[in-house]
Amino acid sequence: MKNFKQIFKEAENAITGIAAAPGIVIAKAYLFTKEKLEINDGDISNIEEAKSNLVEALAKSKKELNKIFAIAKEKMEGQRAAIFEAQMMILDDPILLDNINKRIETEKKQPEYIVNNEISKYQQLMAHSHEAYMNERASDIEDIKNRIIRNLQKKRWISKIQNDMIVVSDSLTPSDTILLSRCDVRGFVTEHGGLTSHAAIISRSLDIPAVVGVHNVTKLIKDNDTIIIDGFHGYILINPNEEQINFFSAKHEKLIELQKSLAELKDQPAKTIDGHEIQLLANVDVTGEIDLVITNDAKGIGLYRTEQIIEELGEIPNEEEQTKIYLNLSTRIYPKPLIIRAFDIGGDKFKFLDFTEPNPFLGLRGIRLLLENENMFRTQIRAVLKASSNKNIQFMLPMVSSIREIRKSLAIINECKNELKHEKINFDKDCKIGIMIEVPSAALLTYELAEIVDFISIGTNDLIQYLMAVDRGNDLVSNLYQEFHPAVIRTLSHIVKESKRAHKSVSLCGEMAADTLAIPLLIGLGLNSLSISPTTIPYAKRIIRSISYEKAKILGDECLASGTVEEITEKLQKFFKDNSITRTRNII
Ligand code: PEP
Ligand code: MG
């Protein structure tokens, strides 16, 4: 049998991207297009005909939307399907429709131009609203606007979001990813986005294979093309021939075998061959993932990304709702720990503000946004504390870059504790408070920051982005996003050493820990706790159980002394070869 490289090299139907979530899938492609429509602003001669075209387009849009709404209600919980309500309202708004008709009569312009103009006004109003809910709805309005315009232009619409498809798209927001995953999506392929974009992280969390950053993919793949995606290597084959299908089916079977043998490791400790135990925790993005946390035997939840609750619900839950969610999770995981991270809103996650920031990743994000919106922060703190009676909850602050931010946050947390005491509400008085180190300024100040908190968690997704000045979601610079850059390795070592000097526990919860190549190095740098997507835990455990801690420490020292990415990568590969450890990528 030919090897993969041969199959791929000979193939004219092959394209590559970034391997974002592991797995192999053969399925049909569903082109999820959000392309900008060209608007014709020309004059019209027949007003009646234009108005009747509009009536027809509106009726068609309504029919389509009803279909989507029905699917959404079937696939999602009631609250989530409500996101289509704003679109329904637009279609039924008599004032809007009257305005559009009047303008067609007086201006004698193409209906699509007037529809675009009128509905955009709505959008502007919503985008500038101070309410997050209304803000979110602005993008829904864009959807219905494009739907009406497309129907005016008599362009085709695929009437059903079919199950079992591989979604191919220009880009995906986290909410697209979650929403589409409800339709039993088999895989994701996107033109834009990097390994640590939130859409990629969510794909990994949901165990849906994904390849991102594939140039021109929406032009190369057509609807209903059969495609094979290999989320281990980032390969895609379009309309594969029999030989290719057979090859990948065999690989798929091998993968299932591997997963079975990994499942056998479930009850084994994550211990090196010389007896050094590593705590493997899980990163949780969506509530449904808790089952995966349990089946993969995580020792707790090292990062619960609470902002995803807002994504899922479409609004910020109130104190009572949040308390219920956190308590539920803490009870299910008890007595293992649950680290709840404060809302990390901003960056590429979702729009919360009523203005556009030129550099959202460098803007009002994480703790900065929370301190500016103290009521929202207090509501979350109170909910976390109220849910903490099991005594297994810890609270973590994202995007910290100074002592002042921590002091201010700790003061607010204390005030909330005093309020709860007065209200005679039970909570864990010793609830541990930690911070994420994901900004270079915080990394340099680790010792001072660690002294005033209970624990440190390193967020390499952002730390690498800010250290290297490379947007984590931009595929144009993804080759510069280098986790094995000497500056990254030395910074990690500094954080670990300084946290230990301050006698505080330190863990790493970025995606770097899910890269099996990185695991011996991270352990060698002194990390005894790693938090990764639950589905990657068995792969990490397999590596840990085949290495020696003493040798990993030597590897760590050697990498710290290296000056280039190439040197470090070579050392890591040599470590695997010398110790006869095969990485998953090589097995499959
Ligand atoms: C990180 O930055 O590494 C991290 C874990 O946080 P997020 O990916 O949610 O930004
Ligand atoms: Mg981060």
Side-chain angles (χ1 to χ4, degrees), residues 102-329:
K102 277 197 185 123
R103 283 187 59 187
I104 294 176
E105 284 167 18
T106 51
E107 295 174 33
K108 297 187 183 60
K109 288 261 181 218
Q110 286 288 348
E112 62 188 73
Y113 167 75
I114 296 175
V115 164
N116 183 41
N117 195 272
E118 280 296 315
I119 301 186
S120 296
K121 285 187 202 161
Y122 259 73
Q123 254 178 299
Q124 295 285 328
L125 275 177
M126 289 194 162
H128 287 96
S129 157
H130 284 272
E131 278 183 47
Y133 180 80
M134 295 300 271
N135 261 243
E136 286 283 309
R137 297 292 77 83
S139 53
D140 300 336
I141 305 289
E142 171 86 18
D143 222 35
I144 187 65
K145 181 178 78 180
N146 289 342
R147 185 174 300 284
I148 302 172
I149 294 171
R150 186 174 33 72
N151 280 325
L152 276 166
Q153 297 176 345
K154 300 203 174 4
K155 286 198 172 144
R156 202 169 69 93
W157 179 65
I158 299 158
S159 64
K160 207 172 170 207
I161 301 169
Q162 290 173 41
N163 285 4
D164 294 322
M165 303 291 264
I166 295 173
V167 171
V168 179
S169 177
D170 182 51
S171 63
L172 285 169
T173 64
S175 31
D176 289 335
T177 322
I178 288 181
L179 189 70
L180 291 166
S181 72
R182 314 270 152 175
C183 306
D184 293 336
V185 163
R186 302 279 309 282
F188 288 111
V189 176
T190 66
E191 186 150 341
H192 298 292
L195 188 59
T196 55
S197 61
H198 287 97
I201 292 176
I202 289 173
S203 310
R204 275 196 291 285
S205 314
L206 297 171
D207 209 8
I208 300 176
V211 179
V212 300
V214 191
H215 292 296
N216 257 335
V217 75
T218 49
K219 295 192 183 67
L220 296 169
I221 295 178
K222 289 188 289 305
D223 254 327
N224 272 317
D225 273 351
T226 296
I227 54 173
I228 294 178
I229 65 171
D230 175 343
F232 290 98
H233 304 85
Y235 295 133
I236 298 168
L237 287 167
I238 309 168
N239 292 323
N241 58 32
E242 206 181 320
E243 185 191 29
Q244 292 169 333
I245 292 180
N246 289 341
F247 179 82
F248 272 95
S249 302
K251 270 178 98 157
H252 190 248
E253 270 170 35
K254 246 183 167 181
L255 175 62
I256 291 170
E257 260 171 51
L258 172 75
Q259 279 166 341
K260 265 195 215 145
S261 73
L262 288 174
E264 282 162 17
L265 288 182
K266 181 181 177 288
D267 299 319
Q268 305 291 327
K271 244 186 205 168
T272 60
I273 47 181
D274 45 356
H276 185 76
E277 184 147 8
I278 304 296
Q279 184 188 38
L280 286 179
L281 303 163
N283 291 347
V284 169
D285 285 35
V286 280
T287 353
E289 259 182 297
I290 183 72
D291 291 334
L292 291 171
V293 173
I294 293 163
T295 36
N296 288 299
D297 193 36
K299 295 295 171 232
I301 295 175
L303 165 67
Y304 178 37
R305 291 184 166 98
T306 55
E307 61 280 0
Q308 292 303 339
I309 308 171
I310 309 177
E311 277 283 343
E312 281 185 62
L313 297 179
E315 62 187 346
I316 301 174
N318 63 28
E319 186 178 311
E320 211 175 303
E321 289 162 335
Q322 283 188 54
T323 309
K324 216 164 133 193
I325 296 170
Y326 304 147
L327 185 60
N328 222 329
L329 207 54

Side-chain angles (χ1 to χ4, degrees), residues 198 201 303 305 307 341 344 349 365 436 438 459-462 472 509-510:
H198 287 97
I201 292 176
L303 165 67
R305 291 184 166 98
E307 61 280 0
R341 180 175 75 182
D344 183 12
K349 288 188 187 166
R365 185 190 162 188
M436 289 197 69
E438 42 190 353
T460 45
N461 302 339
D462 279 311
R472 62 193 264 186
C509 64

Side-chain angles (χ1 to χ4, degrees), residues 130-133 306-307 310 315-320 322 326 341-346 350-353 364-384 395 398 412 416:
H130 284 272
E131 278 183 47
Y133 180 80
T306 55
E307 61 280 0
I310 309 177
E315 62 187 346
I316 301 174
N318 63 28
E319 186 178 311
E320 211 175 303
Q322 283 188 54
Y326 304 147
R341 180 175 75 182
F343 295 133
D344 183 12
I345 301 171
F350 45 83
K351 254 180 78 67
F352 173 79
L353 302 160
L364 213 47
R365 185 190 162 188
I367 196 67
R368 303 170 183 178
L369 186 136
L370 294 172
L371 291 173
E372 287 286 322
N373 293 272
E374 222 178 283
N375 284 342
M376 180 171 71
F377 194 22
R378 279 177 188 274
T379 304
Q380 187 175 32
I381 295 169
R382 282 178 55 96
V384 168
F395 190 49
I412 297 173
C416 291

